[in-house]
Structure formats: structure tokens, C-alpha cells
Amino acid sequence: MTGEVAISTDKLTKRFGDFVAANEITFDVKKGEIFGFLGANGAGKTTAMRMLCGLSIPSSGQATVAGFDVYRQTEEIKKNIGYMSQKFSLYEDLTVWENIRFFAGIYGVPRSEIAPRAKEKLRQLGLYHQRNQLVASLPLGWKQKLSFSVAVFHQPEIVFLDEPTGGVDPVTRRQFWDLIYEASDQGITIFVTTHYMDEAEYCHRISMMVDGYIKALDTPTALKQNYGAESMDEVFFELARGAQRKGD
Amino acid sequence: MNNVSLESIAKSFDASKPPAVKDVSFEVSDGELFGLIGPDGAGKTTLFRILTTLLLADEGKAKVAGCDVVKDYKQIRKEVGYMPGKFSLYQDLSVEENLNFFATLFGTTVMENYDLIKDIYVQLEPFKTRRAGKLSGGMKQKLALCCALIHRPKVLFLDEPTTGVDAVSRWEFWEMLKRLKTEGITILVSTPYMDEASLCEKIALIQEGRIMSIDTPMAITAAFPKELFAIKAENMSQLLNSLRDNELVQSVNAFGEYHHITLVKDSGTPDAFTDRLPMAIEWKTIEPTIEDCFIHMMSA
């Protein structure tokens, strides 16, 4: 990790009528950092993430993502980030190879670079021999690993991962984190949400959102110390138990 | 007779693919809280759909509350409650309307069985005129549970009720299940969260359509065949790689703050190789979790 900043927010706020979904959230994420974005359902995580991805214009406050402004430069943001969620799937009726070519094309990867890079990625993943198979025929764990590779294929500055390991078997879940570490070592910033508290431990730093506010932000070790907790589970309970909002 | 039994159940959807479930046999006793634990695609939903008579098995036999799932399907449908993984209530009916609708379908009234759902329904009551589609995730889940219970079923099937739900709400949901158990309802619940396994009386670990193990959570962890160590260092990803390269180490898996390892030789301890690692470590002997057991069985 270098000292460069990948994401910077200052009192970023989103209101829907009287409802303040994200309330003056302020934090920095460093380049290459694995940043865990945690919170109870309804805490405002999705709202915050949508603003950072350039999909929703904030009500007030400031933020830059990969150096681009979340009000004026949303198209530049979209080009410089990758995104994957548990629900987001590749095109099931395209092959592995076609999916990569399609998304690489969308993100403007030069045509001459797509094939050699795709070959290398698929070899690394152990999916090269399945390259002409329809994505629908792959086991879920492989789909998720492939989705991640597609999300970082255009070498974005930041990749947003929204519950990427939900429902995945415990072995694949760990292989997935190997991929995350690898991307982080290459300088890609990882912004990740999860409901698995053991995965929170793998993040360099964690923020905990409660009722639209960022209630805590620190390394896992420091959070556990500050809350006198044995595990991240306890920290989460301590913070989220007082939540007023119960929602999605 | 509120028990459930399966005998050599198999189901394929596509002849070119491995079966969705294969040779599945187990029994759930009267009033038991039974957990089906496994990742997406393991076959949990297929089994639930067979048991709730929504899908016919290719092979094998199954009984629910004394009734055969093929012959007596009409009777079973009256006696089970089913909460599918996907929210399946009427989005454009209100909370109240949904509940009344399901009560009427089963020839009963909300009043008649109100005591059963009271604890859950009071949390929904402030929103009773709201359309189900406009409820938050946690509230939808509570309404779905109420609708599955309103005819006082003998057996309750809950397919991944806690998926995508935060840790606090998950815990609250399990508290509700414990209360329902005291009513004598047999409960089958599926989950991909291994940490929920210990909340069940008995569990089946399922992977790729096959049951790997069935027992009490304690018996399953007690059967873990190796001594297990938790080990940590300042740089965990470096430690992980060092342990993977170490020939004295049999298995290594990241488990949050610690890595869990087993050694090739059971008499050894991590002291045997600490001097060979490029960093200072801390280690301790630990009891395996269900997740340790699951990973072990997957790789066996």
C-alpha cells in the first residue's frame, strides 16, 4: 500500500425525502487497501456504495473516487472501477470466453490485449479448458471467481464487491479471498461488504455503518481492543444492536 | 407423528449434469430442530421441494408426518408450513391481507392460531396496512414466517431464512425458532452459514447433492480426526503462504484472525517448525468448528 488515496469522502449525505439514508459519512481509502464496509441491513451501505460507483448523486457533501468527482464525473468513475455482487452474474448463455470478451469490450480494453490477457487469467484460475463452456454450466464457486476476474479484467483502480461470497462453499470462499489479496498486491483497491465476520478480519480496515452513520472505522485489531471484544462478531453486535433502522 | 424420513432420495434435472441430489437418507424426529447445512447448489432446495410435494423424486421414498410424499401429497400440503428461499408472498397485498389470505386457504382464521405467531406478529403490527412489497428485508422474513405458521403446521420447512440477513437479525431469527420448538413443531431449516449449525439439535452437512455427515453438532466436531491448531502472525497472508509450503503442515485454512492448521504427524505441535518460518507466530490448540469439519470432509 502506498499513501495515495483511492476514495475520499467528506460529509457525504443522501436523503430520500425526510429519510437520511447516509448521514455525513467521512472516510479515506488508500490505494491497494482492502476496505471492509460493514453494517446491519438498512444501515445505508448500498446507498453509500451507489454514490461511490457514480450511480446516485449525493444530496450533499463531497467525494472523489479514483480522483473523480461523484457529482460531475460519474462516467469517468464508472470506467475506472470494477463491480461485482452476489446477485450480479455473468451472461449465463454466453461462454466463459465470450463473457470476458464482452465485458472487456464494454470497458474499452484494447482489442489486441483481450486475448492474451484472457488466456493468462483463465490459466491462473484453472478455467482455461472450460473457456468454451457456457457460464450456466459452471459450479457457483467458479462463477463467482470468474465474476471477480471479469470485474478486475480492465485493471480498474478500485473494485467494489457487494457480498461476493454469499452462499459460496467454505473452500471456495477462501480461494476467493486469495484472489482478493492478489488484486490488492497489484495495487487494486478493494471495497468489500460481507455478512461473514471472519472475512471482516481479512480486511486492512473496517468501517461499521449504523443508521446511516459510520459508527466505527479502524483495523480489526484496534476495533476489537476498543470494544473489549474477542471477535469481530462481538464488535458487530455491540455496534449494531442499538440500531433503530431495520431494513434492507 | 411429526417426523420426517428420507430413504435413498435422488433427483436429476439434466441428464448431462451430475444429479441435484443423490442417495439422500436421513430422519428427523418429532419436534426436532434439524439443520441442512451446505453452500448454494448443494441440493438443499431440491430436498425441501421433494418433501413439500412440489417436486417428484426420481428414486427413493420420503415421508412427512406419517404421509408418503407421492401417495399422500394432499394430506402433506395441509400439514406442513413452507417458507421458500425466495420471498413468495403477494407483494401487492398488505401484511394483514397476506396473513388472512393464507389462513383462509388453510380453512382457519388468524384469531384461531394467533398465540403461535403473536411474538413475531407484534413486531409487524405497526405496519399491518403496508403492502408486503414495501416491507424491509427483515420484516418480509417475519411476515413469511407468520404466513407459514398460520395453519399451525406439524412440520415447518424454512429454506435459507437467514441468507443475506445481518448477524444481529440472524440471531433474532434463531431465537424465534427456539420458541417455536417449544410448541412441538418439527422444524427443518437450511442455511449456508456454518456458524448457525451449532444452534440446531441435529444437522446434515450437504455438498454437491450428497450428505457428508449427519449427527448432533457436538458429535460432528468431536469426530474431527486431527489435532487442530490456530496460528497467527503480524502478516497473515505471508504466514498463509509459508504454511502452505511447509511439508509438516497437512492442511491450512484462513479463519479470520487465525489460520487453522493440522499437521501431518499427530504427535507434533507448531513448535516443530516455528524457527523455520520467516516471522514470529503465536499458536494454540483449539476445538474444531463445524466449518473446519465441513472443509475437512470436502477435501477428504
Side-chain angles (χ1 to χ4, degrees):
Chain A
M1 262 182 278
T2 61
E4 278 176 71
V5 171
I7 300 173
S8 174
T9 77
D10 184 20
K11 295 189 175 172
L12 192 66
T13 300
K14 181 78 185 187
R15 284 186 206 90
F16 297 103
D18 293 339
F19 182 73
V20 190
N23 206 337
E24 300 203 344
I25 59 177
T26 302
F27 61 88
D28 284 341
V29 181
K30 293 191 280 285
K31 185 172 157 60
E33 186 171 17
I34 302 174
F35 190 83
F37 197 60
L38 273 55
N41 299 120
K45 297 189 303 282
T46 304
T47 302
M49 254 176 125
R50 285 178 56 82
M51 288 192 280
L52 296 176
C53 291
L55 298 171
S56 165
I57 299 294
S59 306
S60 63
Q62 299 301 322
T64 58
V65 175
F68 297 107
D69 185 87
V70 291
Y71 291 92
R72 291 174 291 108
Q73 297 173 299
T74 52
E75 288 313 305
E76 284 87 344
I77 288 176
K78 288 176 201 163
K79 282 179 199 153
N80 284 281
I81 62 170
Y83 177 81
M84 117 167 231
S85 82
Q86 187 191 349
K87 275 157 215 136
F88 167 74
S89 260
L90 303 170
Y91 288 96
E92 300 249 316
D93 45 4
L94 293 184
T95 66
V96 170
W97 189 264
E98 286 165 342
N99 264 292
I100 294 184
R101 209 178 62 197
F102 177 77
F103 283 102
I106 292 243
Y107 279 107
V109 178
R111 194 173 273 219
S112 60
E113 284 177 31
I114 296 177
R117 235 200 269 171
K119 218 171 181 173
E120 193 195 319
K121 277 266 178 202
L122 290 174
R123 287 232 161 90
Q124 278 171 6
L125 283 177
L127 265 176
Y128 189 68
H129 291 292
Q130 284 80 18
R131 67 187 180 282
N132 293 323
Q133 272 184 29
L134 294 185
V135 161
S137 71
L138 297 178
L140 174 83
W142 285 17
K143 277 186 203 166
Q144 291 302 86
K145 283 188 269 182
L146 181 64
S147 293
F148 179 77
S149 299
V150 166
V152 296
F153 191 83
H154 58 293
Q155 295 168 330
E157 296 213 21
I158 301 151
V159 64
F160 289 86
L161 307 173
D162 197 1
E163 286 182 47
T165 55
V168 169
D169 74 68
V171 172
T172 309
R173 204 149 73 77
R174 286 167 176 80
Q175 291 168 349
F176 195 90
W177 274 89
D178 285 343
L179 293 177
I180 291 181
Y181 273 117
E182 207 177 285
S184 157
D185 287 342
Q186 288 162 10
I188 297 179
T189 306
I190 317 283
F191 191 94
V192 59
T193 74
T194 178
H195 283 315
Y196 291 101
M197 286 303 131
D198 60 332
E199 294 187 344
E201 300 268 5
Y202 307 147
C203 302
H204 295 128
R205 282 190 310 151
I206 289 163
S207 75
M208 287 270 193
M209 249 184 121
V210 181
D211 292 343
Y213 295 93
I214 290 194
K215 281 276 181 203
L217 198 172
D218 218 321
T219 62
T221 313
L223 282 175
K224 280 182 283 182
Q225 264 167 14
N226 293 346
Y227 288 88
E230 289 278 310
S231 66
M232 283 309 296
D233 244 333
E234 280 179 43
V235 176
F236 186 86
F237 265 78
E238 196 55 47
L239 283 159
R241 196 160 30 202
Q244 298 301 308
R245 283 171 15 192
K246 302 254 173 175
D248 261 323
Chain B
M1 276 269 286
N2 298 350
N3 58 337
V4 175
S5 69
L6 293 84
E7 208 186 303
S8 309
I9 288 286
K11 177 75 190 176
S12 273
F13 292 104
D14 180 345
S16 66
K17 284 185 190 174
V21 292
K22 175 102 181 126
D23 197 22
V24 171
S25 305
F26 62 80
E27 289 209 15
V28 182
S29 319
D30 212 339
E32 196 166 54
L33 177 52
F34 186 95
L36 202 53
I37 319 280
D40 288 1
K44 305 189 296 294
T45 301
T46 302
L47 287 178
F48 274 21
R49 298 192 63 205
I50 290 170
L51 292 173
T52 50
T53 76
L54 300 172
L55 188 68
L56 287 171
D58 298 336
E59 290 167 42
K61 282 191 177 145
K63 279 189 164 185
V64 174
C67 304
D68 183 277
V69 288
V70 181
K71 271 201 338 279
D72 313 318
Y73 74 95
K74 282 190 175 162
Q75 188 60 26
I76 290 180
R77 288 179 187 185
K78 285 181 198 153
E79 293 184 350
V80 303
Y82 175 41
M83 179 173 158
K86 185 171 171 277
F87 183 70
S88 303
L89 303 181
Y90 291 95
Q91 309 257 10
D92 46 4
L93 291 187
S94 71
V95 167
E96 256 178 336
E97 286 166 341
N98 265 296
L99 201 54
N100 279 319
F101 176 79
F102 283 98
T104 311
L105 270 190
F106 285 102
T108 182
T109 60
V110 175
M111 281 319 291
E112 201 170 324
N113 295 314
Y114 189 68
D115 61 302
L116 193 58
I117 60 162
K118 185 172 169 278
D119 288 345
I120 311 163
Y121 193 69
V122 286
Q123 302 172 60
L124 280 165
E125 210 140 29
F127 314 103
K128 62 183 181 188
T129 55
R130 191 178 289 185
R131 285 182 188 191
K134 296 279 178 202
L135 292 174
S136 71
M139 288 296 169
K140 274 183 184 161
Q141 180 203 40
K142 290 190 177 94
L143 178 59
L145 183 59
C146 286
C147 290
L149 281 169
I150 198 60
H151 59 299
R152 198 174 287 272
K154 290 181 175 169
V155 184
L156 183 62
F157 292 91
L158 305 170
D159 196 4
E160 297 206 20
T162 56
T163 292
V165 174
D166 71 64
V168 175
S169 312
R170 281 208 278 144
W171 184 78
E172 286 174 356
F173 195 82
W174 280 93
E175 287 297 305
M176 289 191 276
L177 294 193
K178 276 187 221 160
R179 277 201 302 274
L180 285 176
K181 218 191 92 62
T182 62
E183 301 276 345
I185 300 175
T186 304
I187 304 175
L188 269 82
V189 56
S190 71
T191 178
Y193 296 105
M194 306 277 152
D195 58 347
E196 293 179 353
S198 59
L199 303 167
C200 304
E201 288 170 285
K202 209 172 177 189
I203 53 172
L205 302 182
I206 181 168
Q207 164 78 359
E208 291 178 349
R210 284 164 199 271
I211 304 278
M212 299 193 295
S213 180
I214 304 169
D215 218 321
T216 63
M218 263 176 66
I220 286 181
T221 51
F224 192 77
K226 302 283 279 186
E227 198 162 2
L228 191 67
F229 302 97
I231 176 165
K232 74 169 173 178
E234 188 71 28
N235 185 331
M236 290 298 279
S237 97
Q238 197 190 358
L239 176 65
L240 192 64
N241 289 326
S242 302
L243 292 169
R244 278 177 183 157
D245 294 339
N246 192 308
E247 73 276 12
L248 299 177
V249 176
Q250 186 180 55
S251 72
V252 48
N253 289 296
F255 264 84
E257 189 183 3
Y258 289 90
H259 298 325
H260 290 187
I261 64 168
T262 60
L263 302 179
V264 177
K265 272 195 199 149
D266 254 340
S267 53
T269 69
D271 279 332
F273 56 78
T274 30
D275 53 330
R276 278 200 269 153
L277 291 172
M279 73 281 279
I281 59 156
E282 244 180 75
W283 68 267
K284 59 184 180 186
T285 311
I286 52 161
E287 293 296 320
T289 63
I290 292 292
E291 191 152 351
D292 287 299
C293 298
F294 199 97
I295 292 173
H296 174 77
M297 288 176 203
M298 273 181 79
S299 47

